[in-house]
């Protein structure tokens, strides 16, 4: 059971605040009856109309966008008892992370109980774009950036085409900051790509997946995705390869 205004907002119809306004104005019906009580709870079987428009519900599927902090493992359960990404999200549903970020990597990760979306986002043929920002040890050159873009060899296999640009070169600390955009998601992919051209990654953050960014979600916090966002993700196939 969820609060009515939250269900309306998650459908993508309007913001939660606007939904509260529409409820108080008597513009929302649940199972054909006007509801003006703010705390009203509904479930996926309830038929909700806002200003005469039926609202789509997500049934039992849930989708969260988490800004993963450092020092958290990307599994549902850790044998060593360390904190996991799932521990950071308050839900009664059994969710799991889509793909993985290393223990020391921060940034955007999706958690869901929707296996179909997980397969869609992680299957290489769908070319889902992921943007990383890496701080590396040493001063990278434009030539090396070109090598990253054209593909480098990891365990004898060439990585597919990527986009990369230098964000900062810091001679004082002998480090560089690079934005790397890739479509693949093999284990330690970014760290291994830099290793292939002779650099160690000091810090790594995933800034975005497809059109989803960390905007408005501080480190360690999360938000739910709306139905609109989930549908947009399914339509996100990127065929640039
Ligand atoms: N690539 C890595 O090397 N580590 C991550 O956590 C994500 C991508």
């Amino acid at each position: 059971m969820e609060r009515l205004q939250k269900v309306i907002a998650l459908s993508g119809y309007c913001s939660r605040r606007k939904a509260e306004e529409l409820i108080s104005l008597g513009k929302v019906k649940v199972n054909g009856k006007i509801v003006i009580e703010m705390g009203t709870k509904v479930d996926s079987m309830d038929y909700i109309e806002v200003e005469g428009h039926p609202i789509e519900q997500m049934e039992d599927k849930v989708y969260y966008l988490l800004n993963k902090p450092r020092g958290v493992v990307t599994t549902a359960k850790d044998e060593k008892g360390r904190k996991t990404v799932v521990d950071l999200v308050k839900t009664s549903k059994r969710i799991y992370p889509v793909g993985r970020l290393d223990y020391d990597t921060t940034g955007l990760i999706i958690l869901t109980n929707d296996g179909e979306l997980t397969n869609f986002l992680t299957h290489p043929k769908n070319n889902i774009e992921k943007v990383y920002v890496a701080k590396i040890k040493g001063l990278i050159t434009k030539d090396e950036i070109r090598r990253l873009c054209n593909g480098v060899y990891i365990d004898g296999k060439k990585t597919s085409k990527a986009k990369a640009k230098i964000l900062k070169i810091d001679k004082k600390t002998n480090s560089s900051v690079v934005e790397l955009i890739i479509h693949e998601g093999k284990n330690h992919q970014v760290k291994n790509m830099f290793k292939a051209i002779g650099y160690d990654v000091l810090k790594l953050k995933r800034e975005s997946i497809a059109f989803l960014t960390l905007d408005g979600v501080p480190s360690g916090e999360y938000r739910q995705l709306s139905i609109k966002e989930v549908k947009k993700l399914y339509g996100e196939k990127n065929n640039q390869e």
Side-chain angles (χ1 to χ4, degrees):
M1 298 285 272
E2 291 280 11
R3 290 162 82 86
L4 183 53
Q5 58 267 46
K6 182 173 175 186
V7 171
I8 296 170
L10 284 176
S11 79
Y13 186 87
C14 59
S15 68
R16 198 177 297 205
R17 190 170 297 181
K18 180 76 185 163
E20 285 171 358
E21 193 187 315
L22 292 170
I23 293 169
S24 62
L25 290 171
K27 304 257 169 135
V28 178
K29 282 186 186 170
V30 176
N31 303 322
K33 281 198 192 122
I34 291 175
V35 169
I36 46 173
E37 260 163 71
M38 211 47 69
T40 302
K41 293 214 166 169
V42 289
D43 67 25
S44 59
M45 296 308 288
D46 287 314
Y47 180 66
I48 302 160
E49 290 162 279
V50 181
E51 299 178 305
H53 302 283
I55 288 300
E56 211 175 338
Q57 288 209 59
M58 294 215 229
E59 294 167 19
D60 291 329
K61 299 285 192 293
V62 286
Y63 307 86
Y64 298 93
L65 180 165
L66 169 73
N67 187 350
K68 176 192 173 298
R70 196 162 299 140
V72 175
V73 271
T74 307
T75 47
K77 207 163 171 54
D78 184 50
E79 301 121 33
K80 294 182 196 156
R82 291 173 298 183
K83 192 174 253 185
T84 74
V85 284
V86 171
D87 293 334
L88 297 178
V89 177
K90 265 194 230 142
T91 176
S92 56
K93 298 277 185 342
R94 257 180 194 271
I95 54 168
Y96 48 83
V98 177
R100 60 177 293 162
L101 290 179
D102 296 333
Y103 190 66
D104 57 352
T105 300
T106 61
L108 201 160
I109 186 146
I110 295 169
L111 296 111
T112 184
N113 55 357
D114 181 350
E116 200 185 337
L117 185 73
T118 303
N119 289 339
F120 181 82
L121 291 178
T122 51
H123 201 293
K125 81 169 195 283
N126 294 321
N127 274 327
I128 302 296
E129 190 169 277
K130 283 156 267 187
V131 178
Y132 292 90
V133 172
K135 183 175 180 189
I136 57 172
K137 194 169 164 205
L139 308 177
I140 198 164
T141 65
K142 284 200 177 138
D143 220 42
E144 287 162 333
I145 288 286
R146 234 168 274 134
R147 283 177 62 199
L148 279 181
C149 293
N150 290 332
V152 292
Y153 283 90
I154 299 176
D155 297 332
K157 267 198 87 184
K158 199 174 181 195
T159 58
S160 43
K161 291 227 177 327
K163 289 182 206 150
K165 68 175 179 207
I166 298 172
L167 299 181
K168 193 173 169 189
I169 294 277
D170 191 339
K171 287 190 181 145
K172 256 196 213 149
T173 58
N174 186 37
S175 65
S176 314
V177 179
V178 177
E179 180 188 83
L180 181 62
I181 305 178
I182 57 173
H183 299 99
E184 298 165 300
K186 298 197 192 83
N187 262 355
H188 315 302
Q189 170 114 9
V190 174
K191 290 177 186 167
N192 286 337
M193 284 177 77
F194 280 104
K195 203 169 178 189
I197 57 163
Y199 291 93
D200 281 335
V201 171
L202 302 172
K203 256 187 183 179
L204 183 60
K205 182 176 186 183
R206 182 155 65 195
E207 296 278 355
S208 67
I209 296 178
F211 58 90
L212 294 172
T213 69
L214 292 167
D215 283 355
V217 186
S219 176
E221 302 206 3
Y222 61 89
R223 70 170 178 89
Q224 272 187 271
L225 299 184
S226 70
I227 294 184
K228 262 194 189 159
E229 288 175 314
V230 174
K231 282 192 173 161
K232 198 168 166 198
L233 275 180
Y234 272 115
E236 191 57 29
K237 242 177 219 180
N238 185 341
N239 289 314
Q240 345 175 307
E241 211 76 351

